[in-house]
Amino acid sequence: MIRSLLKFLLGKMLRLVVLLAAISILSFMMVKMAPIDPVQAYVGADLLKVSEAQREQIAAYWGLDQPPLAQFLTWGSAVLKGNLGTSMTFRQPVTDVIAERFLSSLALMVSAWALSGLIGFAAGAAAAMNRNTWVDRMIHWYCYTLAATPAFWLGLLLIMVFSVWLGWFPLGLGVPAGMAADQVTLGDRIYHMFLPALVLSVTGIATIALHTRQKLAEVLDSDYIIFARARGERGFGLFWRHGLRNIALPALTLQFASFSELFGGAVLAEQVFAYPGLGQATVQAGLRGDVPLLLGIVLFSTCFVFAGNMIADLLYTIIDPRIRSRDGGDPLEAG
Amino acid sequence: MKPDNLAMPDTASGGKWLNRRQRAVIAAIASAMVLFAVLGFGLALPGSGLDARLEIRNQPPSLSHLFGTDWLGRDMLTRTLKGLTLSIFVGLAAAASSVLIAAIMGLAAAMGGRYMDHIIGWITDLFLSVPHLVTLILISFILGGGVKGVLIGIAVTHWPAMARMIRAELLQLRETDYVRLSSRLGRSRWWIATRHLLPHLLPHLLTGMLLIFPHAILHEASITFLGLGLSPHQPAIGIILSESMRYLSTGLWWLAFFPGAALLLIVRSFDRVSEYIRLLIHPASAQE
């Protein structure tokens, strides 16, 4: 068991390394083709104060006067040592920016992820248990409408209703304005995180709900459910004893496989609420031409998505006893 | 933006004098008319509503300005319709190019031999491994934003799932008797791909485009909203919404509410059209 797990992890790591290498080469090549002059992006508003000689100094300082291949080699070897360079907008090492920003994004993403999973799962289960009734149709209608809603627009609506009209929640930002970092309590953070997390959760609900409905509907058509019904079981008891276990794992797996959408949704939600997370940093990097940060985030988000997919794979092979017992009991050989 | 694995037909018995197919046709036509009405108005409306008229600025919705006016006195209804028209065109073009890439990749993977299949499978995984929005931001940044950046970005990010579907479909098709016979008769792979497989794929390509379009239009709005898409001078829903953010706290709710709701309506009616068209094209899957 342990050996096959190690083998599985080793294989995955190898794939990740190849993937990251390919992505760094591709994105570095593309970034070099961008029409935006990095020196210009760095100088920004001080355009008139910077002389030609200073520009050359800046270019030499960042290594921008080298040919692209030499630049890539310099960057690539630094990345291998764990140094992603310095962010031009934040004037900090990229790794620091990503670590700091990701921590605050992580809180947002985890709560939204859990929320969307729970709501979606409950809605999907309710729809399947009440198949072809008005409950089912309502949930369906709701899911499709939710899936067609631009998440950032929903964020704007929530701000208008809850922050501007009712005044229940702050207008944005991760912490109260004008407060020193050590005075901010956990309550403040949660209070500021509530609306963004709600918006972010919306992106995942429809997928998980419709998937769960489909799976549970299949389960409900099975012989053992018909037998259970014949014995007189019904309603929530039937779902609890015979349905839940069969659909919980696929739903959880799907939820882990949705890290890509989660990250994308976080970018939008953070932008709407001015929440200081990694998503907002991504947008700033794109807008200001902060190449090192942008490349760092591309690599980091790739790892993030990869981790989610890997957990999904692991869940499939480890938890489900039926998969474990297949082929004489070594689940991970196939993975 | 429909989660695409489930076609949920309305299972209620519903009207007694129309069968489901007839109801599907009617619903598809009705939804299509909404889309065409928006397109028609968006193209036909005079640009005068977009001129700044400061004497009527910041007006709430009224009969003369159904969606209200903005801080420059521009009519929000005109801006919304023009923006939607642009979004629909960008979305259609992006979805079409995406489907084209998917078709080429799928065909090449299924017909190009084992190595080709491996390579394309790897490329597909590569494109799925970075979050769509991050790729979109990267590509927009590289191409300097604008319609071109959005179009290419969306086309490049949305093909993988579709390509996988096409490949799977083709692998099945390749084993059918008439294709095997054709290959025994000495037809080249290219001949088989273009004469036997491609015609079979066309309905799939159409439905694929219908499935991708809502994603495309929403991603266009998102990336424009973030400031990396269409330029601020173009009338786009994303631009309208990102500008409206500055006026949220002053209570100008109509600046954000109507354009977003209109976008939602468009995506939703397109969803319906595509759902019903799929029911009509693939009647066998309608019972799922």
Side-chain angles (χ1 to χ4, degrees), chain A residues 19 22-23 26 30 34-36 132 140-141 144-145 147-148 152-153 156 160 210 214 260 263-264 272 286-287 289 301, chain B residues 1-3 6 8 11 122 126 130-131 133-134 141-142 222 225-227 241 245 248 253 256-257 260-261 264 267-268:
Chain A
L19 183 69
I23 289 197
L26 259 180
M30 294 202 297
I36 294 164
N132 300 338
H140 242 95
W141 182 88
Y144 278 138
T145 306
F152 56 97
W153 176 67
L156 294 178
M160 279 193 300
L210 292 175
Q214 165 107 345
S260 168
F263 196 93
V272 172
L287 282 176
S301 62
Chain B
M1 198 198 266
K2 177 204 295 283
L6 306 161
M8 161 65 181
T11 24
W122 189 76
L126 192 72
V130 187
L133 211 61
V134 176
F141 163 72
I142 291 159
S222 310
F225 174 78
L226 294 176
L241 289 179
M245 270 179 71
L248 278 186
W253 56 273
F257 179 75
L264 170 61
V267 174
R268 197 69 172 82

Side-chain angles (χ1 to χ4, degrees), chain A:
Chain A
M1 183 70 198
I2 298 289
R3 251 189 76 204
S4 56
L5 184 67
L6 276 179
K7 206 169 155 190
F8 172 85
L9 286 179
L10 212 70
K12 284 283 175 191
M13 284 307 126
L14 204 69
R15 290 188 81 124
L16 180 62
V17 168
V18 175
L19 183 69
L20 285 179
I23 289 197
S24 357
I25 294 172
L26 259 180
S27 41
F28 194 89
M29 264 170 25
M30 294 202 297
V31 164
K32 282 300 144 195
M33 291 189 301
I36 294 164
D37 179 13
V39 178
Q40 188 65 48
Y42 178 70
V43 172
D46 304 329
L47 189 61
L48 297 172
K49 286 185 232 155
V50 180
S51 70
E52 201 55 42
Q54 279 171 311
R55 276 169 183 277
E56 274 165 26
Q57 273 184 347
I58 295 171
Y61 178 73
W62 294 109
L64 292 168
D65 50 353
Q66 309 278 323
L69 186 65
Q71 285 183 35
F72 177 73
L73 290 178
T74 320
W75 180 74
S77 54
V79 169
L80 284 181
K81 289 177 203 145
N83 174 14
L84 285 165
T86 308
S87 159
M88 291 178 179
T89 37
F90 293 93
R91 317 266 153 128
Q92 263 178 348
V94 168
T95 36
D96 290 1
V97 177
I98 290 180
E100 184 191 317
R101 290 296 182 120
F102 181 63
L103 270 186
S104 73
S105 281
L106 193 65
L108 186 69
M109 288 199 262
V110 167
S111 36
W113 184 82
L115 201 63
S116 75
L118 288 178
I119 297 177
F121 188 75
M129 292 303 287
N130 300 292
R131 214 174 349 160
N132 300 338
T133 64
W134 63 271
V135 179
D136 187 18
R137 253 169 282 141
M138 275 273 295
I139 290 176
H140 242 95
W141 182 88
Y142 182 68
C143 282
Y144 278 138
T145 306
L146 219 52
T149 309
F152 56 97
W153 176 67
L154 197 68
L156 294 178
L157 289 191
L158 290 181
I159 290 183
M160 279 193 300
V161 174
F162 290 106
S163 303
V164 179
W165 284 350
L166 299 173
W168 290 354
F169 288 99
L171 262 174
L173 302 176
V175 293
M179 197 185 263
D182 48 354
Q183 287 177 320
V184 180
T185 61
L186 185 67
D188 283 334
R189 289 184 190 279
I190 294 174
Y191 180 55
H192 276 260
M193 211 176 65
F194 186 80
L195 286 185
L198 197 64
V199 168
L200 184 51
S201 71
V202 159
T203 40
I205 289 180
T207 326
I208 196 91
L210 292 175
H211 179 262
T212 301
R213 179 191 175 277
Q214 165 107 345
K215 286 278 171 209
L216 187 56
E218 279 167 21
V219 168
L220 290 180
D221 284 337
S222 65
D223 289 343
Y224 63 88
I225 292 285
I226 295 177
F227 183 51
R229 281 192 203 277
R231 287 198 312 264
E233 288 189 49
R234 60 195 176 83
F236 189 73
L238 179 75
F239 167 73
W240 188 254
R241 241 167 295 166
H242 303 289
L244 181 65
R245 286 194 193 186
N246 284 309
I247 56 169
L249 184 70
L252 195 62
T253 313
L254 185 70
Q255 194 67 348
F256 271 109
S258 72
F259 275 19
S260 168
E261 286 82 40
L262 189 68
F263 196 93
V267 173
L268 289 165
E270 286 174 11
Q271 184 71 8
V272 172
F273 290 94
Y275 187 87
L278 194 56
Q280 210 200 17
T282 315
V283 176
Q284 283 182 6
L287 282 176
R288 302 212 187 146
D290 188 345
V291 173
L293 184 59
L294 197 58
L295 289 177
I297 290 175
V298 169
L299 292 182
F300 180 79
S301 62
T302 307
C303 295
F304 182 67
V305 173
F306 192 87
N309 288 333
M310 196 172 87
I311 297 173
D313 282 358
L314 263 179
L315 278 180
Y316 250 136
T317 44
I318 289 186
I319 296 184
D320 192 336
R322 282 171 307 183
I323 297 177
R324 206 186 306 152
S325 63
R326 201 169 294 161
D327 304 329
D330 209 350
L332 298 162
E333 297 293 354

Side-chain angles (χ1 to χ4, degrees), chain B residues 169-180:
Chain B
E169 184 77 26
L170 287 180
L171 287 184
Q172 274 185 5
L173 204 60
R174 216 174 52 176
E175 299 305 317
T176 53
D177 288 342
Y178 72 95
V179 174
R180 289 184 142 185

